[in-house]
Amino acid sequence: MTEQYKNQIYKVGHGYNKRPKNRTLSIIVHSTNGKKGSSFESEYLYLLNSKLVSAHYLIGKDGRIEQMLTDEYTAWHVGTVYDQKWSNSNSIGIEVHYTPGENKYIPQAIAALTDVVKSYLKSNSLLEVEMHRRVAAPKGRKIDPSFFSDSDFDIWRDITLKTIKPFEIAKGTHVYTAPDSNAPKAHHITNEYIEQGIIKENVIVDAKRENVHWLWLSDGVGFVESRFAR
């Protein structure tokens, strides 16, 4: 597929406009949510030719990346938002080719999404990244990106933006799961926690410290008491 830029084909107002100067850009992640079995090419042509919507990037299930607008242009991708930092004028729109009901296991697409986000992180260490459904107003207006659960998105974003750090977990440490995988708040083991196993050897893993008592292991295994991590 030959890369084409929307601004080279259509005039301003055809799904995009010129971005106001001196904007701090955020990134909004979408999924196309078209018909099941839709092709990458059909989704690309829709975004490229639509008078009403656009995006800066479309990412395929196989990891291909097509850029349709450069950062100097505003894509019409997000609609009404609850905070203007996520508005079209202040954001980059990334669409991932995916339809609800399809296989959510799209590792090549997520790897490509990671690469695009990291390219922006190089010039903006305070880059903010969010899902369309979290920023759209009113709440519930949008469901995308449909291939990410809230917790999976948060894990991916933490790792991509490097807010998760490596910790060494000691041999013999008990690993637990919790009712809320994003916020372990208990200061001691209760019957709400289910033991998953014991770490057999000292291991170094990416983890996110939630508080002084608990450490969340980013690979989804569960939680350990922070006194066994350093």
Side-chain angles (χ1 to χ4, degrees):
M1 182 181 295
T2 302
E3 189 170 80
Q4 301 180 75
Y5 288 97
K6 192 160 187 165
N7 58 285
Q8 295 174 338
I9 304 172
Y10 300 106
K11 294 181 179 179
V12 168
H14 193 104
Y16 79 99
N17 54 276
K18 189 76 173 178
R19 192 186 301 280
K21 293 182 179 180
N22 301 320
R23 297 298 177 111
T24 299
L25 299 180
S26 59
I27 290 179
I28 307 296
V29 179
H30 304 259
S31 54
T32 53
N33 288 13
K35 294 181 179 179
K36 285 186 181 180
S38 65
S39 68
F40 178 88
E41 290 74 14
S42 66
E43 298 289 6
Y44 171 80
L45 290 173
Y46 173 76
L47 290 167
L48 184 69
N49 295 320
S50 175
K51 296 179 179 179
L52 301 178
V53 297
S54 190
H56 291 90
Y57 299 90
L58 175 64
I59 294 174
K61 298 182 183 75
D62 60 359
R64 78 180 95 173
I65 302 169
E66 293 287 347
Q67 184 175 7
M68 285 172 279
L69 283 171
T70 56
D71 297 357
E72 65 185 294
Y73 295 101
T74 295
W76 297 355
H77 65 99
V78 71
T80 304
V81 291
Y82 72 86
D83 188 319
Q84 285 305 299
K85 70 180 178 181
W86 307 116
S87 69
N88 288 330
S89 294
N90 293 318
S91 63
I92 297 295
I94 303 177
E95 292 275 0
V96 177
H97 180 208
Y98 178 80
T99 298
E102 296 178 346
N103 185 357
K104 289 186 178 182
Y105 184 67
I106 49 173
Q108 291 172 295
I110 293 175
L113 173 64
T114 301
D115 288 342
V116 174
V117 171
K118 284 185 174 180
S119 72
Y120 284 90
L121 189 61
K122 290 177 182 178
S123 59
N124 179 10
S125 61
L126 300 178
L127 179 69
E128 293 191 69
V129 182
E130 194 50 275
M131 298 188 290
H132 191 193
R133 66 174 176 264
R134 280 185 177 162
V135 304
K139 185 177 180 179
R141 181 172 66 83
K142 290 292 182 178
I143 64 169
D144 63 305
S146 301
F147 58 92
F148 266 139
S149 67
D150 285 6
S151 59
D152 285 346
F153 176 83
D154 289 340
I155 292 170
W156 167 79
R157 180 178 59 185
D158 283 340
I159 294 172
T160 302
L161 299 183
K162 298 181 180 178
T163 57
I164 288 180
K165 300 178 181 180
F167 290 86
E168 182 176 4
I169 312 298
K171 178 180 177 180
T173 300
H174 289 255
V175 180
Y176 301 87
T177 58
D180 184 349
S181 62
N182 291 308
K185 297 177 181 178
H187 294 173
H188 57 279
I189 301 297
T190 72
N191 58 10
E192 291 180 295
Y193 289 75
I194 304 170
E195 188 173 324
Q196 289 290 91
I198 298 175
I199 291 177
K200 302 298 184 182
E201 301 291 341
N202 282 27
V203 294
I204 295 177
V205 297
D206 284 335
K208 181 179 180 182
R209 192 181 298 278
E210 290 287 346
N211 56 43
V212 296
H213 301 280
W214 292 98
L215 196 68
W216 169 34
L217 307 186
S218 63
D219 61 5
V221 169
F223 304 86
V224 299
E225 292 181 82
S226 60
R227 61 196 174 102
F228 297 113
R230 58 185 177 85

